[in-house]
Amino acid sequence: MRFLSLLEVRDYRNKLPRHDTKRYLRRSLLDIKKIAVHHGATREGSPEAYANYHVGTLDWPEVAYPLIIGKNGIIYWTMDLNKVSYHVGLHNRYTLGVCMIGDFRYDQPTAAQYQSLYRLLEALKIDFSLSDQDILGHQEFAGYEWKQCPALDMDGLRGQLAAKNYGPVINNFNNDKKILITRPAVVKLAKEDDGGMANTLFQPSNGAIKQSTINVLARLSSSTAHGDKAIGRNWVDQLNQDKLSESDAVGLLYVALDRELIQGRKE
């Protein structure tokens, strides 16, 4: 399989605790239709620590995640991929779990983790004939919309994959406020000494991100709060003319978050 050719992969299949009697069910590799991205939900961790908890405390057959990415970028291959491990409830049979060590409600993945994640996802797409849209966060599966796992903006991550940018995305992502805090992809059009962010144009990497931005602008435009109508109309015009700067796009996110999350205004 293509993922086994990655230099970061380490075979840990026979190095972790397993249950004395319980075993995961098996499946055909052809059954794998989605990749579920997780975080460990602990700021520190290791494959051994996860396995000890899943087996010793939860009484599961083995560790939950077939592929675990350490903060140093090492990819731990913990079990044969045809095992139906426990990681996303009723969706286990057709999903493959990839977990990054860390708690991304509070921290970003490391640069090494991002690099290994993107390299691994590209390889798994080939191995299982998957598309970018087949890569989902735990929080995006039915029944888990409430869960901040991996607490990353998965729309942004899929956009990074599609654009081959492979950059960071927003963390501490709240699925319930998806439209408001989806992070846009940007393209640098100015040198750092030419004004930096103020001269960098906002260019969404896909239509969904642009539509989410338009939705936020429309809400600001329809707001009764002082100044919001003018702010919204101004940014709509700039967005439609591809003249919205990155600095204004970031400002838009803060305005929307302030209105909806901090002030909690209902209109």
Side-chain angles (χ1 to χ4, degrees), residues 4 36 47 51 88-89 113 121 124 138 144 149 178 203 209 218 224 250:
L4 292 176
V88 65
Q113 280 181 308
L121 293 178
L124 294 175
H138 188 177
Y144 292 95
C149 178
K178 188 170 186 176
Q203 295 190 353
I209 293 175
T224 58
V250 172

Side-chain angles (χ1 to χ4, degrees), residues 66-158:
L67 296 160
I68 298 173
I69 303 175
K71 292 188 175 184
N72 58 0
I74 295 298
I75 301 170
Y76 301 94
W77 175 29
T78 69
M79 70 184 71
D80 294 336
L81 303 189
N82 64 349
K83 291 184 179 180
V84 184
S85 64
Y86 302 162
H87 64 108
V88 65
L90 296 177
H91 310 281
N92 289 333
R93 183 157 190 94
Y94 66 91
T95 59
L96 178 65
V98 174
C99 178
M100 288 186 285
I101 292 173
D103 189 338
F104 305 140
R105 294 170 298 180
Y106 306 103
D107 306 309
Q108 271 278 2
T110 67
Q113 280 181 308
Y114 269 124
Q115 177 175 296
S116 291
L117 175 67
Y118 285 124
R119 283 168 55 80
L120 177 60
L121 293 178
E122 292 288 16
L124 294 175
K125 282 164 52 181
I126 295 172
D127 288 336
F128 297 104
S129 300
L130 303 178
S131 72
D132 295 331
Q133 298 307 310
D134 294 320
I135 298 169
L136 303 174
H138 188 177
Q139 64 212 18
E140 295 183 292
F141 285 88
Y144 292 95
E145 295 88 351
W146 57 272
K147 196 174 186 69
Q148 275 191 290
C149 178
L152 296 175
D153 172 10
M154 294 301 297
D155 281 334
L157 191 140
R158 287 186 290 269

